[in-house]
Structure formats: C-alpha cells, structure tokens
C-alpha cells in the first residue's frame, strides 16, 4: 500500500491530527453532513472565524483554527456539485485536494485527515472521486515532505472498501 496514506472508518471530528479537512459549501457558513458535524464539534468560534473569511470558491480552500476539536486546524474546501461530469468536476475536485494539501504544508501540519469530499450531498460518484482523491494525494506527497501522513476517514464500510481498493490499484 503506501506508508504515508492511511484509511480509517469513523467520524473525522474525533481524529487526533494536526488538521482535518471540511467538505464545506462556498458560503463557509456550515451545513449538513461532515460540515455540520465539524461545526458542532468545534463550537461557535469556528462559525465566527468562517464568517470573517467571507466565503470560498469551488476548488479552493481556506484555513481556521479547530477550537474545541483535537485538531489544531480545520481546512475548509469546497468540492464541486456533480452535474454529470462534463462541467469540470474532475479538475475542481482535484484542485480542492491539492489546495487543501498546500495549506496543510504551509502551516506545517504533519498529519491531515480528509473526508470523502463531494460524495455525499454533492453527488459525485464515489469511485471516480476516490481515484481523484488518492491520485492527487500520492502526487503531492511525492513532491512534498509535509504533510507526513494523510488519513482518509470513511464514514461507512462501503466507502472504506472503495478507498482500500483504489489505493491498492494506484500505489501498486
Ligand atoms: N466524519 C467523516 N465523514 C463524514 C461525517 C463525519 N462525521 N459525516 C458525513 N461524512 P457531505 P459533500 C461523509 O454531504 O458531498 C454540506 O451540507 C459522508 O458520508 O458531508 O461535499 C455542506 O455544507 C460522505 O461520505 O459533503 C455542503 O453544502 C462525505 O462525508 C455539502 O454538504 C461527504 O458528504 C457538501 O457536500
């Protein structure tokens, strides 16, 4: 497999890492899914920090502290809404991962955890999204010493199985 990539099943808000990534929307003002869970666990200061940032375009990322979370930082990124695949979704999802990893590196985060961005409410097909997530991360780790490790936190077993199979393919 790959020494710097881990796959786990569980709740990303419980991760003991330097930075967790949030699958946000472009308002950065919270929502459902993993975004709602992160805001609930971090507390109201997170929403205040996001309000000051004032939003984030699709494919980009912004960083705040993690407040009540174990993680020092939350990196908020906005994945694309799936619209059939011919609206730049692949490139936008890749850039959400790349920009998140760049922010982690620039803040000297040694450990980062990602959810399966865009694959819930935003409807991106899971295996296609997973290939992009892992390929982009492998390429970034090849070129950068930080982050040292990336954990993909899968909320359910079906997602974890897809991640394990794609990582097996791509790091073979
Ligand atoms: N830990 C880890 N993964 C989780 C958790 C959790 N606590 N909760 C959900 N997931 P989604 P998106 C998984 O819908 O598709 C929000 O309302 C979930 O099972 O959270 O990028 C935002 O505000 C799925 O595998 O994010 C946006 O409006 C993955 O996280 C919109 O949803 C992503 O699902 C973003 O949609």
């Amino acid at each position: 497999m790959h020494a710097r990539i881990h796959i786990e099943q569980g709740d990303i808000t419980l991760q003991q890492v330097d930075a967790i990534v949030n699958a946000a929307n472009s308002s950065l003002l919270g929502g459902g899914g993993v975004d709602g869970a992160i805001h609930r666990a971090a507390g109201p200061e997170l929403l205040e920090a996001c309000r000051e940032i004032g939003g984030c375009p699709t494919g980009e990322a912004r960083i705040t502290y993690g407040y009540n979370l174990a993680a020092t930082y939350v990196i908020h990124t906005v994945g694309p809404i799936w619209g059939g695949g011919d609206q730049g979704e692949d490139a936008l999802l890749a850039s959400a991962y790349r920009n998140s990893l760049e922010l982690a590196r620039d803040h000297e985060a040694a450990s980062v955890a990602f959810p399966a961005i865009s694959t819930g409410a935003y409807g991106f097909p899971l295996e296609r999204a997973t290939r992009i997530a892992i390929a982009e991360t492998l390429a970034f780790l090849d070129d950068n010493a930080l982050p040292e490790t990336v954990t993909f936190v899968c909320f359910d077993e079906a997602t974890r199985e897809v991640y394990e199979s794609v990582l097996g393919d791509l790091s073979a």
Side-chain angles (χ1 to χ4, degrees), residues 10-13 23-25 30-35 37 79 115-123 153-156 159:
D11 178 352
I12 200 169
T13 65
N25 60 64
V34 71
D35 192 5
I117 297 165
S118 283
T119 67
Y122 280 1
V153 181
C154 303
F155 206 42
D156 53 52
T159 304

mmCIF file of all heavy atoms in Angstrom, residues 10-13 23-25 30-35 37 79 115-123 153-156 159, ligand 1:
data_model
loop_
_atom_site.group_PDB
_atom_site.id
_atom_site.type_symbol
_atom_site.label_atom_id
_atom_site.label_comp_id
_atom_site.label_asym_id
_atom_site.label_seq_id
_atom_site.Cartn_x
_atom_site.Cartn_y
_atom_site.Cartn_z
ATOM 1 N N GLY A 10 -14.808 5.954 10.322
ATOM 2 C CA GLY A 10 -15.236 6.602 11.555
ATOM 3 C C GLY A 10 -15.646 8.038 11.342
ATOM 4 O O GLY A 10 -15.982 8.450 10.227
ATOM 5 N N ASP A 11 -15.589 8.780 12.447
ATOM 6 C CA ASP A 11 -16.043 10.170 12.487
ATOM 7 C C ASP A 11 -14.801 11.077 12.459
ATOM 8 O O ASP A 11 -13.972 11.013 13.371
ATOM 9 C CB ASP A 11 -16.835 10.347 13.795
ATOM 10 C CG ASP A 11 -17.324 11.770 14.002
ATOM 11 O OD1 ASP A 11 -16.940 12.676 13.240
ATOM 12 O OD2 ASP A 11 -18.098 11.962 14.955
ATOM 13 N N ILE A 12 -14.699 11.911 11.457
ATOM 14 C CA ILE A 12 -13.490 12.729 11.289
ATOM 15 C C ILE A 12 -13.300 13.717 12.442
ATOM 16 O O ILE A 12 -12.172 14.119 12.738
ATOM 17 C CB ILE A 12 -13.501 13.451 9.916
ATOM 18 C CG1 ILE A 12 -12.081 13.874 9.527
ATOM 19 C CG2 ILE A 12 -14.467 14.612 9.909
ATOM 20 C CD1 ILE A 12 -11.962 14.348 8.099
ATOM 21 N N THR A 13 -14.383 14.086 13.121
ATOM 22 C CA THR A 13 -14.247 15.079 14.196
ATOM 23 C C THR A 13 -13.443 14.528 15.379
ATOM 24 O O THR A 13 -12.987 15.295 16.213
ATOM 25 C CB THR A 13 -15.616 15.570 14.727
ATOM 26 O OG1 THR A 13 -16.289 14.477 15.351
ATOM 27 C CG2 THR A 13 -16.460 16.136 13.604
ATOM 28 N N ALA A 23 -15.572 19.336 4.163
ATOM 29 C CA ALA A 23 -16.251 19.431 2.856
ATOM 30 C C ALA A 23 -17.346 20.486 2.993
ATOM 31 O O ALA A 23 -18.494 20.176 3.305
ATOM 32 C CB ALA A 23 -16.831 18.076 2.475
ATOM 33 N N ALA A 24 -16.971 21.727 2.776
ATOM 34 C CA ALA A 24 -17.851 22.874 3.035
ATOM 35 C C ALA A 24 -18.622 23.258 1.778
ATOM 36 O O ALA A 24 -18.474 22.647 0.714
ATOM 37 C CB ALA A 24 -17.000 24.052 3.511
ATOM 38 N N ASN A 25 -19.448 24.279 1.901
ATOM 39 C CA ASN A 25 -20.030 24.918 0.705
ATOM 40 C C ASN A 25 -19.441 26.316 0.606
ATOM 41 O O ASN A 25 -18.755 26.780 1.523
ATOM 42 C CB ASN A 25 -21.564 24.938 0.767
ATOM 43 C CG ASN A 25 -22.067 25.694 1.973
ATOM 44 O OD1 ASN A 25 -21.857 26.904 2.091
ATOM 45 N ND2 ASN A 25 -22.715 24.991 2.896
ATOM 46 N N GLY A 30 -21.487 26.736 7.187
ATOM 47 C CA GLY A 30 -21.984 25.486 7.770
ATOM 48 C C GLY A 30 -23.056 24.858 6.899
ATOM 49 O O GLY A 30 -23.450 25.413 5.865
ATOM 50 N N GLY A 31 -23.482 23.661 7.300
ATOM 51 C CA GLY A 31 -24.466 22.915 6.527
ATOM 52 C C GLY A 31 -24.686 21.576 7.184
ATOM 53 O O GLY A 31 -24.515 21.433 8.392
ATOM 54 N N GLY A 32 -25.035 20.573 6.377
ATOM 55 C CA GLY A 32 -25.274 19.229 6.901
ATOM 56 C C GLY A 32 -24.021 18.377 6.783
ATOM 57 O O GLY A 32 -22.913 18.898 6.661
ATOM 58 N N GLY A 33 -24.192 17.067 6.824
ATOM 59 C CA GLY A 33 -23.103 16.122 6.591
ATOM 60 C C GLY A 33 -21.899 16.376 7.475
ATOM 61 O O GLY A 33 -22.022 16.733 8.655
ATOM 62 N N VAL A 34 -20.720 16.198 6.896
ATOM 63 C CA VAL A 34 -19.494 16.345 7.673
ATOM 64 C C VAL A 34 -19.294 17.794 8.126
ATOM 65 O O VAL A 34 -18.751 18.054 9.203
ATOM 66 C CB VAL A 34 -18.289 15.769 6.877
ATOM 67 C CG1 VAL A 34 -17.915 16.627 5.700
ATOM 68 C CG2 VAL A 34 -17.109 15.525 7.787
ATOM 69 N N ASP A 35 -19.756 18.726 7.324
ATOM 70 C CA ASP A 35 -19.663 20.159 7.653
ATOM 71 C C ASP A 35 -20.424 20.452 8.961
ATOM 72 O O ASP A 35 -19.881 21.085 9.896
ATOM 73 C CB ASP A 35 -20.265 20.943 6.477
ATOM 74 C CG ASP A 35 -19.990 22.424 6.509
ATOM 75 O OD1 ASP A 35 -19.245 22.878 7.396
ATOM 76 O OD2 ASP A 35 -20.521 23.134 5.629
ATOM 77 N N ALA A 37 -21.235 18.309 11.284
ATOM 78 C CA ALA A 37 -20.583 17.594 12.389
ATOM 79 C C ALA A 37 -19.350 18.366 12.878
ATOM 80 O O ALA A 37 -19.109 18.484 14.087
ATOM 81 C CB ALA A 37 -20.195 16.182 11.943
ATOM 82 N N GLY A 79 -15.829 21.288 -2.607
ATOM 83 C CA GLY A 79 -15.820 20.401 -3.764
ATOM 84 C C GLY A 79 -16.924 20.795 -4.728
ATOM 85 O O GLY A 79 -17.837 21.551 -4.382
ATOM 86 N N PRO A 115 -12.243 13.911 4.630
ATOM 87 C CA PRO A 115 -13.468 13.137 4.366
ATOM 88 C C PRO A 115 -13.546 12.887 2.854
ATOM 89 O O PRO A 115 -12.692 13.379 2.096
ATOM 90 C CB PRO A 115 -14.570 14.096 4.812
ATOM 91 C CG PRO A 115 -14.033 15.444 4.430
ATOM 92 C CD PRO A 115 -12.519 15.369 4.606
ATOM 93 N N ALA A 116 -14.567 12.161 2.439
ATOM 94 C CA ALA A 116 -14.771 11.875 1.007
ATOM 95 C C ALA A 116 -15.526 13.051 0.378
ATOM 96 O O ALA A 116 -16.746 13.010 0.179
ATOM 97 C CB ALA A 116 -15.533 10.568 0.853
ATOM 98 N N ILE A 117 -14.744 14.088 0.049
ATOM 99 C CA ILE A 117 -15.304 15.364 -0.418
ATOM 100 C C ILE A 117 -16.201 15.164 -1.653
ATOM 101 O O ILE A 117 -15.833 14.420 -2.567
ATOM 102 C CB ILE A 117 -14.142 16.329 -0.771
ATOM 103 C CG1 ILE A 117 -13.315 16.631 0.478
ATOM 104 C CG2 ILE A 117 -14.663 17.619 -1.404
ATOM 105 C CD1 ILE A 117 -11.959 17.266 0.162
ATOM 106 N N SER A 118 -17.333 15.826 -1.643
ATOM 107 C CA SER A 118 -18.311 15.874 -2.752
ATOM 108 C C SER A 118 -19.121 14.592 -2.945
ATOM 109 O O SER A 118 -20.014 14.569 -3.802
ATOM 110 C CB SER A 118 -17.658 16.231 -4.102
ATOM 111 O OG SER A 118 -17.380 17.602 -4.194
ATOM 112 N N THR A 119 -18.834 13.526 -2.183
ATOM 113 C CA THR A 119 -19.505 12.253 -2.474
ATOM 114 C C THR A 119 -20.806 12.057 -1.692
ATOM 115 O O THR A 119 -21.455 11.019 -1.843
ATOM 116 C CB THR A 119 -18.585 11.049 -2.181
ATOM 117 O OG1 THR A 119 -18.349 10.971 -0.772
ATOM 118 C CG2 THR A 119 -17.266 11.168 -2.926
ATOM 119 N N GLY A 120 -21.185 13.027 -0.865
ATOM 120 C CA GLY A 120 -22.445 12.937 -0.121
ATOM 121 C C GLY A 120 -23.498 13.788 -0.798
ATOM 122 O O GLY A 120 -23.955 13.478 -1.903
ATOM 123 N N ALA A 121 -23.846 14.893 -0.170
ATOM 124 C CA ALA A 121 -24.890 15.786 -0.704
ATOM 125 C C ALA A 121 -24.570 16.267 -2.119
ATOM 126 O O ALA A 121 -25.479 16.516 -2.915
ATOM 127 C CB ALA A 121 -25.054 16.984 0.228
ATOM 128 N N TYR A 122 -23.290 16.388 -2.456
ATOM 129 C CA TYR A 122 -22.914 16.925 -3.770
ATOM 130 C C TYR A 122 -22.916 15.880 -4.885
ATOM 131 O O TYR A 122 -22.737 16.221 -6.057
ATOM 132 C CB TYR A 122 -21.563 17.639 -3.693
ATOM 133 C CG TYR A 122 -21.660 19.058 -3.120
ATOM 134 C CD1 TYR A 122 -22.879 19.595 -2.709
ATOM 135 C CD2 TYR A 122 -20.520 19.868 -3.015
ATOM 136 C CE1 TYR A 122 -22.967 20.886 -2.194
ATOM 137 C CE2 TYR A 122 -20.602 21.157 -2.504
ATOM 138 C CZ TYR A 122 -21.823 21.668 -2.099
ATOM 139 O OH TYR A 122 -21.895 22.950 -1.596
ATOM 140 N N GLY A 123 -23.114 14.593 -4.540
ATOM 141 C CA GLY A 123 -23.460 13.584 -5.540
ATOM 142 C C GLY A 123 -22.366 13.092 -6.474
ATOM 143 O O GLY A 123 -22.656 12.426 -7.481
ATOM 144 N N VAL A 153 -10.735 9.450 6.072
ATOM 145 C CA VAL A 153 -11.686 8.961 7.062
ATOM 146 C C VAL A 153 -13.012 8.695 6.356
ATOM 147 O O VAL A 153 -13.670 9.619 5.871
ATOM 148 C CB VAL A 153 -11.870 9.968 8.205
ATOM 149 C CG1 VAL A 153 -12.852 9.429 9.228
ATOM 150 C CG2 VAL A 153 -10.524 10.255 8.864
ATOM 151 N N CYS A 154 -13.365 7.411 6.282
ATOM 152 C CA CYS A 154 -14.568 6.978 5.571
ATOM 153 C C CYS A 154 -15.677 6.778 6.600
ATOM 154 O O CYS A 154 -15.466 6.140 7.627
ATOM 155 C CB CYS A 154 -14.293 5.669 4.847
ATOM 156 S SG CYS A 154 -12.902 5.808 3.699
ATOM 157 N N PHE A 155 -16.846 7.326 6.297
ATOM 158 C CA PHE A 155 -17.928 7.311 7.286
ATOM 159 C C PHE A 155 -18.586 5.942 7.375
ATOM 160 O O PHE A 155 -19.131 5.594 8.402
ATOM 161 C CB PHE A 155 -18.958 8.374 6.911
ATOM 162 C CG PHE A 155 -19.730 8.891 8.075
ATOM 163 C CD1 PHE A 155 -19.118 9.184 9.286
ATOM 164 C CD2 PHE A 155 -21.098 9.124 7.971
ATOM 165 C CE1 PHE A 155 -19.831 9.673 10.363
ATOM 166 C CE2 PHE A 155 -21.830 9.622 9.042
ATOM 167 C CZ PHE A 155 -21.187 9.888 10.242
ATOM 168 N N ASP A 156 -18.539 5.178 6.293
ATOM 169 C CA ASP A 156 -19.196 3.864 6.318
ATOM 170 C C ASP A 156 -18.288 2.829 5.655
ATOM 171 O O ASP A 156 -17.293 3.161 5.013
ATOM 172 C CB ASP A 156 -20.568 3.929 5.640
ATOM 173 C CG ASP A 156 -20.474 4.528 4.263
ATOM 174 O OD1 ASP A 156 -19.638 4.064 3.459
ATOM 175 O OD2 ASP A 156 -21.222 5.484 3.978
ATOM 176 N N THR A 159 -17.723 2.853 1.765
ATOM 177 C CA THR A 159 -16.756 3.867 1.340
ATOM 178 C C THR A 159 -15.332 3.396 1.641
ATOM 179 O O THR A 159 -14.432 3.520 0.799
ATOM 180 C CB THR A 159 -17.055 5.203 2.054
ATOM 181 O OG1 THR A 159 -18.403 5.558 1.788
ATOM 182 C CG2 THR A 159 -16.128 6.313 1.583
HETATM 183 N N1 LIG B 1 -16.915 12.068 9.521
HETATM 184 C C1 LIG B 1 -16.460 11.620 8.339
HETATM 185 N N2 LIG B 1 -17.201 11.602 7.209
HETATM 186 C C2 LIG B 1 -18.474 12.060 7.308
HETATM 187 C C3 LIG B 1 -19.039 12.548 8.513
HETATM 188 C C4 LIG B 1 -18.190 12.541 9.672
HETATM 189 N N3 LIG B 1 -18.618 12.990 10.851
HETATM 190 N N4 LIG B 1 -20.319 12.917 8.271
HETATM 191 C C5 LIG B 1 -20.562 12.664 6.970
HETATM 192 N N5 LIG B 1 -19.472 12.136 6.380
HETATM 193 P P1 LIG B 1 -21.161 15.539 2.669
HETATM 194 P P2 LIG B 1 -20.360 16.929 0.169
HETATM 195 C C6 LIG B 1 -19.238 11.703 4.990
HETATM 196 O O1 LIG B 1 -22.588 15.501 2.232
HETATM 197 O O2 LIG B 1 -20.896 15.833 -0.677
HETATM 198 C C7 LIG B 1 -22.895 20.042 3.424
HETATM 199 O O3 LIG B 1 -24.211 20.421 3.756
HETATM 200 C C8 LIG B 1 -20.430 11.386 4.126
HETATM 201 O O4 LIG B 1 -20.936 10.081 4.438
HETATM 202 O O5 LIG B 1 -20.849 15.899 4.078
HETATM 203 O O6 LIG B 1 -19.019 17.501 -0.158
HETATM 204 C C9 LIG B 1 -22.003 21.225 3.072
HETATM 205 O O7 LIG B 1 -22.352 22.380 3.789
HETATM 206 C C10 LIG B 1 -19.793 11.428 2.745
HETATM 207 O O8 LIG B 1 -19.066 10.207 2.515
HETATM 208 O O9 LIG B 1 -20.284 16.560 1.747
HETATM 209 C C11 LIG B 1 -22.261 21.385 1.603
HETATM 210 O O10 LIG B 1 -23.407 22.148 1.352
HETATM 211 C C12 LIG B 1 -18.758 12.558 2.877
HETATM 212 O O11 LIG B 1 -18.608 12.774 4.298
HETATM 213 C C13 LIG B 1 -22.473 19.978 1.116
HETATM 214 O O12 LIG B 1 -22.948 19.243 2.248
HETATM 215 C C14 LIG B 1 -19.139 13.865 2.212
HETATM 216 O O13 LIG B 1 -20.545 14.089 2.350
HETATM 217 C C15 LIG B 1 -21.177 19.339 0.674
HETATM 218 O O14 LIG B 1 -21.452 18.076 0.128
#
